[in-house]
């Protein structure tokens, strides 16, 4: 396997808006949780529930859609490869 | 008829069985579609979109430890579990998301499939072989997850634990070997739903039933005041040791696999950034469940208190969903780990020792054989963590960080790295950690996790500078 001792040109995957929003969300959530534990806020349980359930439901919906599309794509590819040998498929 | 020791209904059974049918069905559905190449088998053809990467990344982190183990923090070290462990873990993941995730996906060549591959790419074959040891040490951690399931089934049905462990192993084995990464990804999306919904609803219901923080505080603060202290009565060195466990994410083979499987560097980064606050909230909810379990059942083993609390308070249907959520958490993590560990045996060990490569078809076949062996060994390793599953995390992650953290992270960013520095630091890290932790039993009170990290940093820099200067002088 070829190794790479010299780092090539500096990678640049800057994504400032998404990064900033994510850091803000992490910071605010951490603060809410720390204060919630120190001051014993009962509503922290509700906040956790909402933050867990709503994004999971959204991801689940998108994920199911992506799975169905992947399944359709793979089925099409499988039909196209019918009758071919493994070597022909790999080539 | 099985005798049930906890509240349970037919609806709960239907949900639990329905979950197994769904997971196995998905695995078999993708069976013939994803076995064309090792890349397809191991990395889903590098085509996972953002929702799928988030789903599989989030769920792969959830396991028996992250539910029952983290809940146990609420009962043993209290709010310190958040302050010295969960919050530092959260913060330590941010650089991983911002810099390492996109670098691994965007700059590392496509034929680098695993962490040992990455070590070979950064250094040489010796580093690859030595890093495989850390990956395979994860097999001991598999025992933690099997133990969580077996404890639940023991409690519910008076099953002998060996029966429960075997059942977990068989189910995991079926859909891991069916279609590799595609199966893991597809089932993870559903499992994310099961786990998040069940834990989210459970924390509301259980906190309400317990009576909220005032009741928890008045019940526990007299006998265990340290539960409400920021450091939980631990000294600074021990707190730091727990905080450093968060660095284990940097050596986590599953995460590198998820980055490599993403469809782009941006997806790799964004998905991880999304997961960080979600993991934080999940752990918070689980620690609160632990507090409640200890309040309601102050005596006895924690896992009994935990499951008694869940089954007594949650309504029928939601109980089944919660148990399915735990099983989902364990299965998703186990299937990911087995996949990675099997690849370590075939792709990494075989090529690392012989220097030859196998065809994709043979690689997949040997992966399946290795998967069976790993599952059997994992079932045996449950015996190591019978006293406390927290020990499982501490041992395995401590060992992995000791060997891999510095060489991996430095290797990705340090221009003057050398092959000798890479493999020597890895080997030194393993040996130092084991000797400090188990031979000398942490003399001076400084935990091995804390000290090894510092020592290996200096070892790496010294080795790299010495050899690099020599190479430059000879050039």
């Amino acid at each position: 396997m070829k190794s790479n001792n010299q780092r090539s040109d500096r990678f640049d995957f800057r994504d400032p808006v998404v990064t900033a929003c994510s850091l803000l969300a992490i910071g605010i959530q951490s603060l809410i949780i720390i204060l919630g534990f120190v001051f014993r806020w009962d509503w922290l349980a509700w906040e956790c529930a909402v933050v867990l359930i709503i994004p999971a439901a959204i991801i689940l919906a998108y994920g199911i859609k992506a799975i169905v599309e992947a399944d359709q794509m793979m089925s099409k590819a499988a039909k196209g490869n019918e009758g071919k040998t493994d070597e022909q498929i790999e080539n | 008829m099985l005798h049930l020791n906890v509240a349970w209904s037919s609806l709960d059974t239907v949900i639990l069985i329905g979950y197994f049918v769904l997971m196995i069905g998905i695995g078999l559905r993708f069976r013939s579609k994803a076995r064309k190449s090792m890349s397809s088998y191991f990395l889903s053809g590098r085509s996972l979109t953002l929702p799928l990467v988030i789903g599989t990344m989030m769920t792969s982190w959830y396991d028996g430890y992250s539910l029952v183990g983290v809940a146990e923090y609420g009962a043993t070290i209290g709010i310190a579990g958040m302050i010295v462990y969960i919050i530092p873990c959260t913060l330590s993941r941010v650089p991983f998301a911002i810099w390492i995730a996109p670098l691994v996906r965007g700059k590392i060549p496509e034929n680098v499939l695993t962490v040992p591959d990455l070590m070979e790419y950064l250094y040489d074959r010796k580093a690859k072989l030595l890093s495989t040891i850390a990956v395979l040490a994860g097999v001991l951690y598999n025992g933690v997850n099997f133990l969580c399931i077996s404890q639940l089934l023991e409690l519910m049905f008076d099953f002998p634990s060996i029966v429960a462990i075997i059942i977990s192993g068989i189910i995991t084995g079926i859909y891991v070997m069916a279609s590799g990464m595609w199966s893991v990804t597809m089932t993870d999306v559903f499992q994310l739903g099961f786990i998040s919904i069940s834990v989210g609803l459970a924390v509301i219901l259980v906190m309400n039933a317990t009576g909220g923080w005032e009741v928890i505080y008045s019940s526990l603060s007299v006998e265990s005041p340290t539960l409400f202290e920021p450091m939980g009565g631990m000294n600074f060195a021990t707190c730091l040791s727990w905080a450093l466990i968060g660095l284990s994410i940097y050596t986590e083979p599953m995460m590198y696999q998820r980055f490599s499987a993403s469809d782009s560097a941006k997806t790799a980064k964004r998905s991880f950034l999304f997961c960080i606050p979600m993991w934080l909230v999940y752990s918070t909810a689980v620690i609160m469940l632990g507090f409640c379990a200890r309040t309601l059942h102050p005596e006895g083993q924690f896992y009994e208190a935990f499951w008694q609390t869940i089954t007594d308070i949650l309504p029928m249907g939601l109980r089944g969903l919660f148990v399915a959520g735990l099983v989902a958490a364990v299965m998703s993590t186990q299937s990911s780990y087995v996949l990675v560990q099997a690849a370590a045996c075939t792709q990494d060990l075989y090529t690392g020792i012989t220097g030859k490569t196998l065809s994709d078809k043979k690689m997949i076949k040997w992966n399946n054989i290795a998967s069976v062996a790993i599952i059997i060994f994992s079932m045996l390793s449950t015996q190591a963590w019978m006293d406390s599953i927290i020990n499982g995390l501490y041992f395995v992650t401590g060992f992995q960080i000791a060997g891999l953290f510095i060489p991996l992270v430095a290797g990705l960013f340090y221009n003057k790295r050398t092959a000798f520095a890479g493999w020597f630091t890895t080997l030194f890290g393993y040996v130092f950690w084991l000797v400090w932790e188990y031979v000398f039993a942490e003399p001076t009170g400084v935990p091995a996790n804390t000290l090894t990290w510092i020592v290996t940093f200096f070892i790496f820099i010294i080795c790299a500078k010495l050899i690099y200067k020599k190479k430059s002088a000879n050039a």
Side-chain angles (χ1 to χ4, degrees):
Chain A
M1 178 171 293
K2 191 181 166 186
S3 70
N4 180 18
N5 199 47
Q6 295 298 325
R7 197 172 65 184
S8 53
D9 50 346
R10 189 179 176 281
F11 76 96
D12 187 1
F13 302 112
R14 280 180 291 195
D15 207 356
V17 173
V18 170
T19 304
C21 291
S22 301
L23 294 179
L24 196 62
I26 292 166
I28 292 172
Q29 186 64 71
S30 300
L31 196 59
I32 290 172
I33 287 168
I34 292 173
L35 294 176
F37 271 83
V38 170
F39 293 111
R40 299 189 281 276
W41 292 335
D42 283 336
W43 59 264
L44 185 61
W46 286 93
E47 196 259 348
C48 288
V50 166
V51 172
L52 272 176
I53 293 172
I54 293 177
I58 295 170
I59 295 295
L60 186 58
Y62 274 111
I64 291 171
K65 189 174 157 217
I67 287 168
V68 168
E69 281 170 3
D71 185 54
Q72 286 167 349
M73 208 166 58
M74 284 183 171
S75 297
K76 260 189 207 165
K79 270 193 188 149
N81 288 333
E82 260 170 21
K84 291 185 185 172
T85 62
D86 279 347
E87 274 176 21
Q88 285 171 323
I89 293 167
E90 278 171 35
N91 291 337
Chain B
M1 197 65 184
L2 291 169
H3 166 69
L4 277 161
N5 294 324
V6 299
W8 196 255
S9 69
S10 307
L11 179 59
D12 297 317
T13 304
V14 165
I15 288 173
L16 193 56
I17 292 175
Y19 155 72
F20 280 112
V21 169
L22 178 67
M23 294 304 111
I24 294 171
I26 291 171
L28 292 174
R29 174 78 184 157
F30 282 89
R31 181 190 165 87
S32 62
K33 297 181 185 201
R35 302 186 67 175
K36 297 290 180 254
S37 71
M38 192 61 185
S39 175
S40 175
Y41 180 77
F42 194 69
L43 297 179
S44 311
R46 289 180 169 262
S47 58
L48 294 187
T49 55
L50 188 64
L52 290 179
V53 180
I54 289 174
T56 188
M57 208 178 265
M58 275 191 65
T59 319
S60 294
W61 192 250
Y62 297 153
D63 62 5
Y65 168 80
S66 70
L67 182 59
V68 185
V70 171
E72 195 171 344
Y73 290 139
T76 52
I77 59 173
I79 66 172
M82 289 305 302
I83 293 171
V84 307
Y85 176 53
I86 301 296
I87 300 284
C89 276
T90 300
L91 298 175
S92 67
R93 288 165 186 167
V94 173
F96 195 58
I98 294 175
W99 290 303
I100 294 188
L103 178 67
V104 168
R105 179 59 184 91
K107 283 285 183 180
I108 304 298
E110 290 200 355
N111 60 347
V112 175
L113 297 179
T114 63
V115 164
D117 277 347
L118 182 57
M119 288 289 279
E120 185 182 16
Y121 171 77
L122 295 172
Y123 302 107
D124 65 2
R125 224 163 79 189
K126 273 202 279 292
K128 173 177 186 152
L129 274 175
L130 287 168
S131 62
T132 308
I133 296 173
V135 176
L136 291 176
V139 176
L140 292 172
Y141 183 72
N142 297 349
V144 167
N145 283 310
F146 285 132
L147 196 57
C148 287
I149 300 281
S150 74
Q151 285 173 343
L152 174 62
L153 291 175
E154 262 181 89
L155 187 67
M156 287 175 71
F157 302 114
D158 285 337
F159 273 170
S161 60
I162 186 73
V163 172
I165 290 168
I166 289 170
I167 293 171
S168 318
I170 290 170
I171 305 262
T172 305
I174 289 173
Y175 73 78
V176 165
M177 291 189 292
S179 32
M181 182 62 193
W182 272 117
S183 171
V184 168
T185 306
M186 302 311 173
T187 54
D188 276 354
V189 168
F190 290 97
Q191 287 164 7
L192 174 63
F194 270 72
I195 297 162
S196 300
I197 292 168
S198 57
V199 169
L201 292 174
V203 72
I204 296 172
L205 293 169
V206 170
M207 280 292 277
N208 276 348
T210 308
W213 278 114
E214 283 314 307
V215 172
I216 293 171
Y217 185 74
S218 58
S219 301
L220 299 177
S221 61
V222 174
E223 272 194 33
S224 311
T226 54
L227 289 179
F228 300 94
E229 291 170 11
M231 284 169 62
M234 295 182 284
N235 62 33
F236 179 76
T238 306
C239 290
L240 183 60
S241 174
W242 276 108
L244 289 174
I245 286 181
L247 297 177
S248 64
I249 196 82
Y250 289 79
T251 63
E252 182 54 61
M254 275 199 304
M255 293 301 154
Y256 287 90
Q257 185 201 36
R258 294 328 190 239
F259 298 152
S260 299
S262 305
D263 63 2
S264 70
K266 218 174 240 186
T267 297
K269 178 178 167 183
R270 287 178 174 184
S271 56
F272 203 81
L273 280 173
F274 182 92
C275 289
I276 293 173
M278 300 298 296
W279 287 324
L280 172 62
V281 170
Y282 177 88
S283 300
T284 304
V286 165
I287 284 187
M288 284 195 275
L289 289 175
F291 267 107
C292 295
R294 189 44 84 202
T295 303
L296 295 172
H297 302 280
E299 306 300 327
Q301 294 233 22
F302 175 75
Y303 80 89
E304 289 175 350
F306 181 81
W307 287 112
Q308 210 66 52
T309 301
I310 294 297
T311 51
D312 286 349
I313 293 172
L314 297 191
M316 70 172 163
L318 188 54
R319 272 193 303 256
L321 191 67
F322 193 95
V323 172
L326 167 76
V327 177
V330 170
M331 292 303 168
S332 74
T333 304
Q334 276 315 113
S335 55
S336 301
Y337 274 133
V338 170
L339 196 67
V340 162
Q341 289 152 8
C345 291
T346 54
Q347 167 102 358
D348 301 322
L349 265 184
Y350 178 81
T351 57
I353 292 171
T354 64
K356 297 177 190 168
T357 52
L358 290 170
S359 67
D360 279 345
K361 205 172 162 186
K362 279 191 180 159
M363 195 68 83
I364 290 170
K365 176 190 152 196
W366 280 106
N367 253 22
N368 287 339
I369 294 170
S371 297
V372 172
I374 286 166
I375 289 170
I376 292 170
F377 193 80
S378 302
M379 291 192 276
L380 292 171
S381 71
T382 54
Q383 305 309 302
W385 318 119
M386 298 298 264
D387 291 337
S388 170
I389 61 176
I390 294 176
N391 291 341
L393 176 89
Y394 193 84
F395 173 83
V396 176
T397 55
F399 182 76
Q400 290 175 334
I401 294 170
L404 287 186
F405 177 74
I406 295 294
L408 253 181
V409 176
L412 288 169
F413 296 102
Y414 188 53
N415 272 344
K416 294 178 183 171
R417 68 183 184 274
T418 61
F420 173 72
W423 71 258
F424 184 76
T425 308
T426 302
L427 180 62
F428 184 90
Y430 294 149
V431 173
F432 186 90
W433 188 87
L434 285 170
V435 168
W436 190 268
E437 180 77 22
Y438 293 104
V439 175
F440 295 146
E442 294 183 358
T444 74
V446 178
N449 284 357
T450 309
L451 192 59
T452 310
W453 182 82
I454 298 167
V455 169
T456 51
F457 173 76
F458 286 108
I459 293 286
F460 181 88
I461 296 295
I462 292 167
C463 290
K465 281 195 178 298
L466 277 173
I467 304 295
Y468 196 84
K469 268 192 185 156
K470 212 170 152 185
K471 275 168 71 175
S472 304
N474 290 339

